[in-house]
Amino acid sequence: MAHSEPSASKAVDGGLSEEFAVPTHAEDVRKLMAEFAEHHGSAGRRVVLITSGGTKVPLESRTVRFLDNFSSGRRGASSAEYFLDSGYAVIFLHRHRSLYPYTRLYAGVNLLDSLQSESVKEDAGQILVDQNALPNIAKVLKRYQAVKAAGLLLPVEFNTLSEYLHLLKAAAQALSSIAMFYLAAAVSDFYIPAYEMPEHKIQSSNGPLQISMKMVPKMLSPLVKDWAPKAFVISFKLETDPSILLERARRALETYNHQAVVANVLDTRRGYVVVVTKDTQQELVLTDEEVQEEVEIEDRIVSNLTAAHSQFMSQV
Amino acid sequence: MAHSEPSASKAVDGGLSEEFAVPTHAEDVRKLMAEFAEHHGSAGRRVVLITSGGTKVPLESRTVRFLDNFSSGRRGASSAEYFLDSGYAVIFLHRHRSLYPYTRLYAGVNLLDSLQSESVKEDAGQILVDQNALPNIAKVLKRYQAVKAAGLLLPVEFNTLSEYLHLLKAAAQALSSIAMFYLAAAVSDFYIPAYEMPEHKIQSSNGPLQISMKMVPKMLSPLVKDWAPKAFVISFKLETDPSILLERARRALETYNHQAVVANVLDTRRGYVVVVTKDTQQELVLTDEEVQEEVEIEDRIVSNLTAAHSQFMSQV
C-alpha cells in the first residue's frame, strides 16, 4: 500500500518530479504551448500565461475525499478577456470546470432555461436562444468566435495540484523568453505525499480524522530563477486579514524576486486590489458608480500590468 | 477568535443545531417542501426527496480552504429523471453547481460552442442552437419544459455540510408521512467544529498543517427514528475496496433500521450496484451491449426501488 519515501536528493524543481507523478500528457502540452508562443511571437504578438481556479489535493490515492481552495476562476477568466482585448495571445491554464472566458458570463444560467419553447417543433425544426435569458449574447458570441477563429486562446486544463505544478513547469519551459506569467490560480499550500496516502477511502468507523499535510514546494522560485528568468512574472496574494496583506506581498517579492504581486482581500477582491512592485504600490479601486456600471476590476489590473510589461520589455 | 465549546447536553438531532448554525432560509425551505408534498400528495402522486452532490467542509470560518467529497451529482440528477418518468414528484436537494436533471446531458459542452455563428447578425437577429453540439436537444428540452410547467421538480441548493444537514432535517420534517428518501449525496464523515476553526486563512509560513476533524453526526438515525418514521428510506454506500462493501452495507441497515442500501464501488459504479435490504440482496448489472446503447444504471435502480416502495406502502 505505502510506497517508500523518496531519497533526500532534490532536483532544481524542489523535488517536484519525485513527489508528484508527471502527468502523461505534460510533454505534449509543453510542445503545444511552445508552438503557440512561437507562432504568435513571430507575428509580433505578446503572449500571457494565465493560471486560474483552485487545485484539488487528494487525501486517498483512489480519491473520494480531497482538500480544495476557494476559487471560481472568475478573476482568471475575465482577465483573459481583457488581455485578448489588449492584443495578447492567451494560454489559459485552468482548473477543469472552473469559469471560462466569455462563457463565464452565463455560468449561473441553466442552458435549458435559455432556449425558447415555442420554437420546438415535433422532433425537428430549429431551436432559438432566448436573448433575454443570456444578456448581450449576440455581442459576446461574436467576440468569442473571432478569438477562436484567430487562434488567440489556448485552453489547457488541470484538476489536481500535481497536474497544476507539472503543467506550470511545462509552460515555463515552453515560454522561457519574454512572455508574461499571470499566476491567478489558488494553489494549495499543503498536500499529502503519495507514500503517506492511504489507498482506500478513509473509514469513518475508525473514529475522528487526523490529517498531516506537507508544504507544497514553491514553484515561483525555480520559475523565476531557472525556467523563465527573462519573463515578466505576476503572482497573486489573497488574504482574509487585511492587516497582514501588504507585508505578505512584500515578503513574496523579496523571496522570489519577480516583478509584481497583485494583493487582495477575500471580502473586497472584486473592487479593490493593490499592485505591489519592488519600488511602487498602486491601489486600484472601483467607485460605487463603476460597480453599478459593471466595470470589472480585472480591466484595471490588466491595463496596469500590460503597461508595466511594455516598460519591462523596453528595458531588456 | 475561538468560540466556547457547547454544553454536553445533546438534543435528539445529535447536537445538530448546537454544532452547526441553522441557515436563515431553513424554515422557508421547510414550508416550501411541505406545500410541494401536500400539493402532489393530494393529487395522488408519490413524492421522493433526492439528495445529490458532495458537501463542502470549511477549514476556516472566512473560508479559503475546504474539504470536499468526490461527486459530480450525476447519479442524483439522472435518478431524478427516472423518478419523474415513473410518475413521482421530485424534491432535488443538491450541491450548488452539481449536475442537474436534463441539463446534465450537456454539462461537458461550452455554451458558446453550441450556438451557430452564421445566425449572428449585426447586433440583432436570432441566434440558433447547433443541434449537433447538443444531441437530442429538442426532445430533452420538451421533456424539461413539460416537467417544469407541471411543477413536478422542486430544486433546493446546499453548499456546505452544515446547510445540507439542516435542509435534510427540514425535508424530513416536511415529508414525515409516506415519501421516499433517496439519499445519494456524498456527505462528509468529518468536520471541524466552529469553536475549533481559525477565523483567518491558515498561513503556510507556520509550517506543515495538522488537521483534526470530528465525526459528523449520522442524520440517518434521527431521520428514521424520529423525524420520518413512516418514510421509505434509501441510503447509498460508496467504497473503493469491493471486499468490504457488502458488510458495510449490512452494518448500515442494522444500525439505522431503514429500508435499503444501494451499495457501489467507485470504479464500477456506472455499471454495477447491489440493492441490499434486510432480507434480500439484488445485483443490478449493465451488460456491455446496454452500456453501448447508453442505458443508465439509474434506470434499473429507480425501477427496483419504486416497485419496493409500492410493496412497502401496501403493507402500511
Side-chain angles (χ1 to χ4, degrees), chain B residues 51-124:
Chain B
T51 68
S52 187
T55 57
K56 179 171 168 172
V57 178
L59 302 189
E60 301 127 340
S61 27
R62 303 197 194 188
T63 308
V64 173
R65 300 193 177 88
F66 55 94
L67 190 78
D68 211 325
N69 275 53
F70 164 81
S71 176
S72 65
R74 205 190 139 282
R75 177 147 285 163
S78 65
S79 298
E81 296 169 21
Y82 294 108
F83 275 110
L84 288 162
D85 289 346
S86 307
Y88 279 67
V90 174
I91 301 177
F92 189 62
L93 179 59
H94 64 291
R95 167 79 174 268
H96 178 62
R97 301 233 160 134
S98 66
L99 292 182
Y100 196 81
Y102 307 109
T103 318
R104 65 158 179 127
L105 297 163
Y106 310 109
V109 181
N110 179 331
L111 167 72
L112 296 174
D113 285 329
S114 70
L115 305 181
Q116 280 175 345
S117 55
E118 57 266 40
S119 55
V120 184
K121 309 245 171 61
E122 294 299 318
D123 293 335

Side-chain angles (χ1 to χ4, degrees), chain B residues 174-240:
Chain B
L175 309 175
S176 54
S177 58
I178 50 167
M180 190 195 297
F181 286 75
Y182 184 88
L183 306 174
V187 182
S188 179
D189 290 314
F190 306 104
Y191 76 108
I192 301 182
Y195 55 85
E196 288 185 2
M197 217 185 299
E199 178 185 358
H200 286 296
K201 185 183 177 188
I202 300 163
Q203 291 296 324
S204 62
S205 50
N206 298 345
L209 183 62
Q210 300 290 334
I211 305 175
S212 180
M213 305 188 84
K214 279 184 69 170
M215 287 175 65
V216 172
K218 297 289 184 189
M219 288 296 106
L220 210 45
S221 184
L223 193 155
V224 174
K225 266 197 269 179
D226 305 307
W227 299 335
K230 292 184 195 159
F232 186 72
V233 179
I234 315 300
S235 72
F236 283 71
K237 183 62 91 182
L238 174 75
E239 294 291 349
T240 57

Side-chain angles (χ1 to χ4, degrees), chain A residues 1-6 18-19 21 61 193-199:
Chain A
M1 188 190 96
H3 308 254
S4 63
E5 186 151 0
E18 289 176 23
E19 299 260 325
S61 27
Y195 55 85
E196 287 184 3
M197 219 185 300
E199 179 185 359

